[in-house]
Amino acid sequence: MQALNSERSALNHIRVFEAFAGYGSQSMALRRLAEDYPRFSFEAVGISEIDRYALQAYRAVHGDVTNYGDITCIDWGDVPDFDLFTYSFPCQDVSFAGKQMGFTEGSGTRSSLLWECRKAILAKRPGWLLMENVKVLVSEKFLPLFREWEQWLASIGYNNYTQVLNAKDYGVPQNRERVFMVSTLSDVPYFFPNPLGVKCCLGDILEDSVDGRYFLSEKMVDGFIHRNEVAKEKGNGFRFEPVDGFGIAAAVLTAAGSRADDNYVYACAVRDRGDGNRQTLETGGSVVNAVTSVQKDSMVMQLANKVADMATKARGEECGVNVTADGRIVTFLHDKKRTSVQEYKIDSFGSYGQSVISSRSPLMYDECLRIRKLTERECFRLMDVSESDIDKIQAAGISRTQQYKMAGNSIVVAVLYHIFRKMFIDKECETKQLRLF
């Protein structure tokens, strides 16, 4: 059986079983791999998923793949053979966001469902295994239990390779560190993909037009600021901290945008204050991890760049921009005959990041920065779900709350894509890598 499954793993057609499937990020990545490498193909022979909303999303994206349900109740003799077993077991009892009750076998915690995977592995002996979970799984607290699992796999013939990978290293603007373990029956060593860097910034994934229900009220922002002050007095630091709009988002959580340690966006609304003939302009904004005061200097520069862009669009002429020592923003409009100077000043700068720039020039625009939640689509984009798959999930009639939850529970598709690429396409070592755990 071992030799047979090792041979299967070298084939171009891979059969996969997704345990704890969610909306099927593993199959999304494998499908993308098959599109890029026509000699590779795969089929999902089954999944295990008990969340009805996640199952609804999975079927909307992948079709009617057989769901064997609760992993504790599966008779693996009834399941077709498979070459790849993926098991992103529940993280709630490991994650810092939970109570960290652990995953000791027989403890009854959700995370202890890991040990149920032994039945599948013993019954089918797949050539490849892929585990994913939160980084704290390999922390000092949980490392002994993780070692116990790793040693069990080794005792039945698997070679194990473990690495913490960050989504921002694989083309996605999200700071999401997760631990992955690839296990193989083959004697050919596995090499994790080399970091590729970020190919886009947060501004590239933000929607152009967002409904007003996503924007935070002034009362809510004031509440965040109060929490910040309390945290600061206790020495815990700020929780509402804007980062550069061209930077990286914090990890998408299951309750994205609904509490102080999730992602929020500065959305810029530009209003015409002139003769009413100019159209409203909307621009993207910066991203914040949580809530804290903003730095005026960096905000002035962000606004200056937007003013320059706004003036260019309004005049049809390229303009330069300069920021004076007192915070005034000066734009320079150029054409062949003249150079005109237009001066803007900051009329107000609130402690929670709401700023207004008013113009003393004929442009007469206001630009107001407001704080809003990430939308569900933006969270899915940060998980590298394709637009067509997002459309299918949202067309399935799943609530906003459940969409946030399933995005936060999933795995970034781009990371999986490159892990699978190193499994099945390019098995060479890209760089010298050391065993970390």
Side-chain angles (χ1 to χ4, degrees):
M1 176 69 77
Q2 177 175 338
L4 176 61
N5 280 283
S6 295
E7 182 179 349
R8 285 178 188 165
S9 298
L11 299 176
N12 292 333
H13 184 74
I14 301 298
R15 297 167 296 178
V16 60
F17 188 100
E18 292 178 87
F20 318 104
Y23 53 67
S25 56
Q26 291 94 339
S27 283
M28 289 178 181
L30 288 167
R31 184 182 65 203
R32 192 176 298 179
L33 194 69
E35 291 169 352
D36 290 347
Y37 299 92
R39 63 185 175 88
F40 173 81
S41 64
F42 84 101
E43 64 175 314
V45 300
I47 64 172
S48 172
E49 181 54 65
I50 61 173
D51 186 293
R52 64 189 181 101
Y53 302 106
L55 183 59
Q56 189 177 349
Y58 190 102
R59 287 175 171 162
V61 173
H62 305 289
D64 195 19
V65 177
T66 301
N67 177 31
Y68 289 87
D70 188 341
I71 197 168
T72 66
C73 301
I74 296 176
D75 182 347
W76 292 99
D78 295 336
V79 179
D81 290 341
F82 44 83
D83 311 298
L84 169 64
F85 181 69
T86 66
Y87 59 112
S88 178
F89 66 98
C91 68
Q92 292 94 329
D93 300 299
V94 179
S95 172
F96 286 121
K99 296 182 179 179
Q100 292 195 305
M101 297 174 65
F103 58 101
T104 302
E105 184 178 7
S107 63
T109 66
R110 289 163 293 184
S111 296
S112 68
L113 289 173
L114 165 67
W115 302 96
E116 292 291 332
C117 296
R118 288 188 303 189
K119 299 174 185 177
I121 296 168
L122 286 172
K124 299 298 180 182
R125 298 282 285 177
W128 294 93
L129 312 174
L130 176 63
M131 184 214 73
E132 179 270 354
N133 215 285
V134 292
K135 181 182 177 181
V136 71
L137 182 70
V138 291
S139 67
E140 182 179 356
K141 180 174 183 178
F142 295 117
L143 189 56
L145 272 176
F146 175 75
R147 289 282 196 197
E148 185 179 338
W149 173 254
E150 185 183 45
Q151 288 165 5
W152 178 79
L153 289 174
S155 73
I156 61 170
Y158 283 92
N159 296 304
N160 302 302
Y161 306 86
T162 304
Q163 189 92 344
V164 173
L165 303 181
N166 196 325
K168 71 178 183 179
D169 293 326
Y170 299 93
V172 178
Q174 183 189 170
N175 185 27
R176 188 182 189 88
E177 290 185 300
R178 293 294 184 267
V179 60
F180 295 86
M181 183 167 71
V182 171
S183 305
T184 174
L185 289 174
S186 171
D187 292 331
V188 177
Y190 176 80
F191 299 101
F192 281 98
N194 199 39
L196 304 173
V198 179
K199 297 180 179 179
C200 62
C201 63
L202 276 167
D204 295 324
I205 65 95
L206 298 180
E207 295 192 71
D208 294 331
S209 180
V210 175
D211 190 275
R213 64 185 175 181
Y214 293 95
F215 286 83
L216 275 63
S217 67
E218 186 170 335
K219 179 179 180 181
M220 184 177 293
V221 176
D222 287 342
F224 285 145
I225 291 179
H226 174 70
R227 289 179 61 180
N228 288 350
E229 294 302 319
V230 171
K232 184 177 180 181
E233 290 175 3
K234 293 182 178 180
N236 296 330
F238 289 111
R239 288 183 171 271
F240 193 35
E241 184 175 359
V243 296
D244 195 307
F246 296 97
I248 308 297
V252 174
L253 303 181
T254 56
S258 66
R259 42 182 207 204
D261 56 352
D262 281 320
N263 292 80
Y264 294 88
V265 178
Y266 276 127
C268 304
V270 181
R271 301 186 303 274
D272 179 14
R273 301 195 302 116
D275 57 14
N277 294 324
R278 297 186 182 92
Q279 294 182 347
T280 299
L281 302 175
E282 302 244 342
T283 62
S286 307
V287 171
V288 297
N289 296 331
V291 184
T292 185
S293 60
V294 296
Q295 293 183 353
K296 181 172 180 178
D297 291 343
S298 62
M299 186 61 66
V300 168
M301 287 306 302
Q302 290 180 35
L303 296 177
N305 291 331
K306 294 183 185 301
V307 168
D309 181 62
M310 183 173 60
T312 298
K313 290 179 180 178
R315 293 286 180 156
E317 303 170 282
E318 185 176 355
C319 74
V321 62
N322 181 51
V323 179
T324 63
D326 61 357
R328 289 180 296 118
I329 298 172
V330 182
T331 62
F332 300 86
L333 299 181
H334 303 284
D335 61 23
K336 295 181 180 179
K337 297 181 179 179
R338 63 180 173 81
T339 299
S340 60
V341 178
Q342 308 213 15
E343 183 176 295
Y344 296 73
K345 73 183 184 69
I346 296 179
D347 280 350
S348 64
F349 198 91
S351 61
Y352 52 83
Q354 181 171 336
S355 308
V356 177
I357 287 187
S358 66
S359 166
R360 298 187 181 278
S361 74
L363 287 179
M364 300 296 286
Y365 286 111
D366 278 352
E367 180 163 325
C368 179
L369 294 183
R370 294 181 59 195
I371 298 170
R372 68 167 176 84
K373 304 175 184 179
L374 287 174
T375 68
E376 307 94 292
R377 180 173 292 271
E378 289 164 347
C379 288
F380 283 128
R381 286 174 177 175
L382 284 171
M383 299 304 294
D384 197 38
V385 179
S386 70
E387 291 299 304
S388 60
D389 286 345
I390 297 173
D391 290 341
K392 291 174 183 177
I393 292 172
Q394 297 194 331
I398 302 168
S399 71
R400 292 173 55 208
T401 299
Q402 291 299 326
Q403 289 183 51
Y404 281 130
K405 178 182 176 182
M406 66 179 65
N409 274 334
S410 193
I411 312 171
V412 175
V413 176
V415 179
L416 289 169
Y417 171 91
H418 289 290
I419 289 174
F420 292 142
R421 177 178 61 82
K422 297 302 296 180
M423 277 188 187
F424 305 120
I425 306 299
D426 175 15
K427 300 182 180 181
E428 299 299 318
C429 178
E430 295 177 337
T431 59
K432 184 178 180 180
Q433 300 182 48
L434 299 177
R435 181 178 175 84
L436 296 186
F437 305 102

